[in-house]
């Protein structure tokens, strides 16, 4: 008798769990604008700027920030799981469309991806002037000591060291090792080659460089940690790196429902230059702000949302 | 007898063929320029070699530490320590491998040493626990009989206990081996190389061919090494 009761109890618990799972995972058809993002600081800030500005304009929003990498966000957008996220022109061209040519003109890159996505009902809103492209970093002190400011000068120093019989080492993430606009093409254009290249997780290149494990490392132009770690971005004096301007990419149906989104995000994008983005990234990565706090502070300061 | 070895050699060569042939084919037929940059013979085989070295060093050290610790905590005078030791090993296992890497990177810096260290920590538990389990489940009657025959404790360990516990110990080692091949794909995050480099790169740039090359190589390596360990197990326990 007791055994039977336990079985019934278990069955009830199981049934409740299953129903609960269905409720929790089931999607309802609210006309909300779901905002996605990739997993790094800048993306979180951009998505929180979007969430707050849309909310301020009375548009219902849903927070799906920190969703995953490029592929995850892109698939989610194509399948309508999310309605908007910020993508970089260069990333769309090279990684999503799997094109092999690296484009260095901002307008051309933007127009190419905009046209391509229009065919499948995705709209690229106005792009921001900041360019989160790759850079080559050195330790500030080391670069000052050697008088190096450009990648060309770095290349000359490397060749000089190699002639003296020293080894020069480089830290990079995995992606940069094989990209069209990555290490192989860079060394070809500038005419130098590191003796040893260490591939590692994306955030570690800074650490490897700071800890003197390597002489130079790959980094990002809008990184907020560069100054804090006493590193410096070298100037790409031969214009090798392609452009990575971000723009909100939104599904057409949502834009038809809320056409004001284009103006709201266009206004935000127009004010995001490289210094501004470095500062916002710095607030989060170094000063310990949450991405939404940094976003709110900036929007208020710019008068783009009301208190 | 001949038949048995024929099967063993046949399957070993088959698995080796997948491990070598699949990347070989992809190296010869890269899907695009991006893939071709990484699918170079010297790069791919270097990843394979790094992976094998990570596996070999980590497993060897883990076998030594795991079996000795497992035997010690099965002895009556150390048995009180068994729950403590097993739980410490449990911690090494419960923390995700990536977390173990991150923790030791702070102490040992990046590169090969840290990766091997983290893999050893990871591999000890199954070996330790199986050794312990194999030792304590031996019937006391058998030990009594051996003692009655005048065998010294050392001889009992070497001639009676270890041979009886060996199948269980070997199962632990094989388990650890497969885990280490899998976990070693994470070594690439801290600049220690290995087949994970192709998997991580393939995912980062969304090129399936890179991803599959790394994944198939790692998987076939795990199965191949497990198969070889199984042959060793069968031979030593017969």
């Amino acid at each position: 008798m007791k055994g039977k009761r336990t079985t019934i109890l278990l069955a009830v618990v199981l049934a409740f769990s299953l129903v609960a799972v269905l409720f929790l995972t089931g999607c309802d058809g609210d006309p909300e604008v779901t905002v996605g993002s990739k997993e790094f600081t800048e993306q979180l800030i951009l998505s929180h700027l979007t969430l707050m500005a849309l909310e301020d304009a009375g548009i219902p929003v849903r927070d799906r920030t920190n969703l995953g990498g490029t592929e995850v966000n892109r698939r989610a957008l194509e399948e309508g799981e999310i309605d908007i996220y910020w993508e970089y022109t260069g990333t769309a061209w090279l990684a999503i469309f799997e094109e092999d040519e690296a484009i260095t003109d901002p307008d051309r890159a933007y127009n190419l991806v905009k046209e391509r996505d229009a065919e499948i009902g995705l709209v690229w809103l106005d792009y921001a002037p900041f360019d989160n492209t790759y850079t080559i970093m050195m330790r500030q002190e080391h670069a000052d000591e050697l008088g190096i400011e450009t990648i060309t000068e770095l290349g000359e120093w490397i060749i000089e060291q190699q002639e003296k019989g020293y080894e020069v080492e480089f830290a990079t993430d995995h992606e940069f090792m094989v990209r069209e606009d990555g290490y192989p093409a860079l060394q070809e254009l500038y005419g130098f080659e590191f003796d040893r290249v260490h591939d590692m997780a994306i955030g570690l290149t800074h650490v490897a460089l700071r800890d003197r494990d390597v002489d130079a490392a790959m980094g990002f132009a809008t990184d907020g940690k560069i100054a804090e770690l006493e590193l410096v971005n070298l100037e790409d004096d031969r214009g090798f790196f392609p452009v990575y301007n971000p723009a909100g990419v939104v599904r057409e149906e949502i834009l038809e429902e809320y056409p004001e989104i284009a103006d709201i995000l266009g206004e935000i994008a127009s004010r995001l230059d490289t210094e501004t983005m470095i500062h916002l990234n710095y607030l989060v990565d170094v000063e310990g702000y949450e991405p939404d706090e940094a976003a709110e502070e900036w929007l208020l300061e710019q008068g783009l949302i009301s208190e | 007898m001949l038949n048995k070895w024929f099967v063993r050699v046949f399957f070993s060569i088959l698995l080796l063929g997948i491990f070598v042939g699949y990347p070989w084919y992809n190296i010869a037929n890269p899907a695009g320029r991006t893939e071709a940059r990484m699918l170079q013979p010297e790069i791919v085989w270097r990843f394979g070699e790094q992976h094998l070295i990570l596996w070999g060093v980590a497993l060897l050290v883990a076998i030594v530490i795991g079996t000795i610790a497992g035997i010690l905590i099965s002895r009556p005078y150390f048995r009180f320590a068994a729950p403590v030791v097993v739980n410490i090993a449990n911690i090494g296992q419960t923390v995700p491998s990536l977390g173990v890497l991150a923790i030791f990177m702070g102490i040992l810096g990046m590169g090969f040493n840290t990766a091997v260290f983290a893999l050893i920590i990871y591999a000890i538990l199954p070996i330790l626990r199986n050794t312990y389990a194999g030792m304590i489940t031996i019937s006391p009657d058998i030990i009594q009989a051996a003692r009655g025959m005048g065998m010294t404790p050392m001889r009992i360990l070497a001639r009676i206990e270890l041979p009886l516990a060996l199948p269980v110990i070997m199962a632990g080692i094989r388990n650890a081996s497969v885990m280490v091949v899998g976990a070693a794909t994470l070594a690439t995050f801290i600049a220690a190389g290995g087949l994970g480099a192709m998997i991580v790169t393939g995912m980062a740039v969304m090129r399936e061919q890179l991803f599959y090359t790394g994944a198939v190589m790692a998987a076939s390596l795990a199965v191949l090494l497990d198969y070889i360990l199984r042959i060793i197990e069968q031979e030593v326990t017969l």
Side-chain angles (χ1 to χ4, degrees):
Chain A
M1 200 52 202
K2 201 170 173 219
K4 198 177 169 190
R5 227 151 85 194
T6 316
T7 315
I8 293 170
L9 191 70
L10 276 177
V12 171
V13 170
L14 181 68
F16 265 110
S17 322
L18 288 175
V19 171
V21 167
L22 284 177
F23 265 105
L24 288 172
T25 53
C27 289
D28 46 13
D30 279 356
E32 286 174 322
V33 178
T34 308
V35 180
S37 87
K38 303 186 204 181
E39 296 156 314
F40 51 90
T41 305
E42 182 169 297
Q43 279 278 321
L44 296 173
I45 295 171
L46 290 172
S47 58
H48 280 290
L49 289 172
T50 310
L51 282 167
M52 282 172 190
L54 295 188
E55 212 168 14
D56 189 65
I59 298 170
V61 289
R62 204 153 80 105
D63 183 350
R64 290 291 301 275
T65 56
N66 211 0
L67 192 63
T70 300
E71 185 173 20
V72 172
N73 278 284
R74 176 70 186 193
R75 286 215 176 133
L77 186 72
E78 285 174 3
E79 286 161 15
E81 190 88 6
I82 59 173
D83 300 310
I84 188 165
Y85 84 99
W86 289 72
E87 187 52 277
Y88 304 88
T89 52
T91 308
W93 182 248
L94 294 164
I96 295 171
F97 301 141
E98 304 197 5
E99 290 291 341
D100 283 327
E101 182 203 357
I103 303 170
T104 52
D105 176 48
D107 282 329
R108 185 163 166 251
Y110 176 74
N111 288 329
L112 280 168
V113 294
K114 190 184 170 86
E115 277 163 29
R116 181 87 68 103
D117 265 343
E119 291 164 17
I120 56 166
L122 298 178
V123 181
W124 282 69
L125 305 176
D126 293 346
Y127 71 84
F130 83 80
D131 175 14
N132 188 8
T133 188
Y134 286 105
T135 59
I136 302 300
M137 304 184 290
M138 285 184 81
R139 286 182 296 278
Q140 179 84 59
E141 192 193 340
H142 194 208
D144 288 348
E145 187 188 311
L146 301 167
I148 293 175
E149 283 177 0
T150 64
I151 301 178
T152 302
E153 287 164 0
L154 171 69
E156 286 163 3
W157 177 74
I158 290 170
I159 291 164
E160 202 177 292
Q161 291 303 105
Q162 288 167 338
E163 278 165 0
K164 288 187 208 159
Y166 295 117
E167 287 205 337
V168 190
E169 303 187 28
F170 182 64
T172 166
D173 76 346
H174 295 91
E175 197 166 341
F176 190 67
M177 282 299 287
V178 295
R179 286 177 71 115
E180 187 65 25
D181 55 336
Y183 176 67
L186 176 84
Q187 59 168 22
E188 206 170 289
L189 178 76
Y190 279 96
F192 62 79
E193 195 172 345
F194 287 97
D195 297 286
R196 292 192 64 191
V197 177
H198 305 272
D199 36 1
M200 59 188 70
I202 198 158
L204 287 182
T205 59
H206 295 90
V207 184
L209 183 58
R210 188 200 58 196
D211 295 349
R212 296 164 190 274
D213 288 333
V214 293
D215 303 288
M218 122 308 148
F220 293 101
T222 55
D223 192 332
K225 292 188 292 293
I226 290 178
E228 183 67 17
L229 294 170
E230 294 175 3
L231 307 176
V232 63
N233 280 332
L234 299 182
E235 189 199 328
D236 175 23
D237 51 324
R238 296 185 66 175
F240 168 73
F241 290 115
V243 286
Y244 290 89
N245 299 102
V249 188
V250 59
R251 299 192 323 115
E252 213 168 12
E253 299 103 276
I254 287 293
L255 197 60
E256 277 161 12
E257 184 112 10
Y258 305 107
E260 63 270 36
I261 290 178
D263 286 337
I264 296 168
L265 295 188
E267 186 57 40
I268 290 175
S270 70
R271 297 182 193 207
L272 290 170
D273 57 16
T274 303
E275 283 69 40
T276 306
M277 202 62 234
I278 290 177
H279 177 68
L280 289 170
N281 283 331
Y282 167 82
L283 286 179
V284 175
D285 284 337
V286 180
E287 294 288 323
Y289 281 60
E290 290 298 322
D292 55 334
E293 292 169 356
E296 190 176 13
E297 191 180 288
W298 184 79
L299 285 170
L300 285 170
E301 190 187 294
Q302 296 286 317
L304 290 172
I305 58 170
S306 44
E307 293 271 354
Chain B
M1 191 63 198
L2 189 75
N3 194 24
K4 186 176 77 180
W5 278 101
F6 178 77
V7 172
R8 286 172 175 178
V9 170
F10 175 79
F11 277 110
S12 300
I13 290 175
L14 186 74
L15 289 165
L16 190 67
I18 297 172
F19 178 69
V20 175
Y22 188 74
W24 196 317
Y25 176 80
N26 284 339
I27 288 167
N29 303 287
R33 270 155 59 182
T34 302
E35 288 88 340
R37 278 188 211 104
M38 184 161 266
L39 292 173
Q40 300 289 329
E42 67 275 12
I43 297 178
V44 174
W45 302 133
R46 195 186 67 225
F47 287 147
E49 188 190 322
Q50 287 168 335
H51 209 94
L52 210 56
I53 292 173
L54 283 169
W55 171 84
V57 175
L59 193 67
L60 211 62
V61 177
I63 289 172
V64 172
I65 298 175
T67 49
I68 291 177
I71 291 168
L72 280 180
I73 58 171
S74 69
R75 304 290 92 181
Y77 36 92
F78 278 130
R79 200 165 289 184
F80 71 91
V84 181
V85 175
V86 170
N87 274 313
I88 291 173
N90 266 330
I91 296 171
Q93 184 85 88
T94 320
V95 179
S97 348
L98 203 54
V100 176
L101 282 179
I103 291 166
F104 290 110
M105 213 198 69
I107 306 162
L108 296 169
M110 55 187 74
F112 179 80
N113 292 343
T114 311
V116 164
F117 195 77
L119 289 174
I120 291 169
I121 301 282
Y122 195 56
I124 283 178
L125 176 76
I127 301 176
L128 175 98
R129 197 154 54 186
N130 278 38
T131 306
Y132 176 68
M135 300 296 286
I136 61 163
T137 47
I138 295 168
S139 160
D141 298 346
I142 298 173
I143 313 276
Q144 284 294 334
R147 204 171 289 154
M149 287 167 70
M151 288 174 92
T152 62
M154 248 353 243
R155 267 181 83 81
I156 295 175
L157 178 66
R159 291 294 183 81
I160 310 287
E161 290 178 286
L162 277 181
L164 284 172
L166 201 59
V168 187
I169 298 174
M170 277 306 293
I173 292 173
R174 283 174 55 191
N175 197 347
S177 160
V178 173
M179 277 169 34
V180 168
V181 174
T185 55
L186 300 173
T188 186
F189 284 117
I190 56 161
L195 295 167
M198 281 187 282
I199 300 176
V200 175
T201 309
M203 281 177 19
V205 295
M206 291 193 238
R207 302 291 162 121
E208 286 178 353
Q209 194 186 26
L210 287 177
F211 175 86
Y212 283 128
T213 307
V216 167
M217 282 180 82
S220 57
L221 186 66
V223 180
L224 173 66
L225 293 170
D226 187 59
Y227 192 70
I228 293 170
L229 286 175
R230 200 184 108 181
I231 295 173
I232 295 172
E233 177 188 330
Q234 286 170 346
E235 287 304 304
V236 293
T237 54
L238 272 180

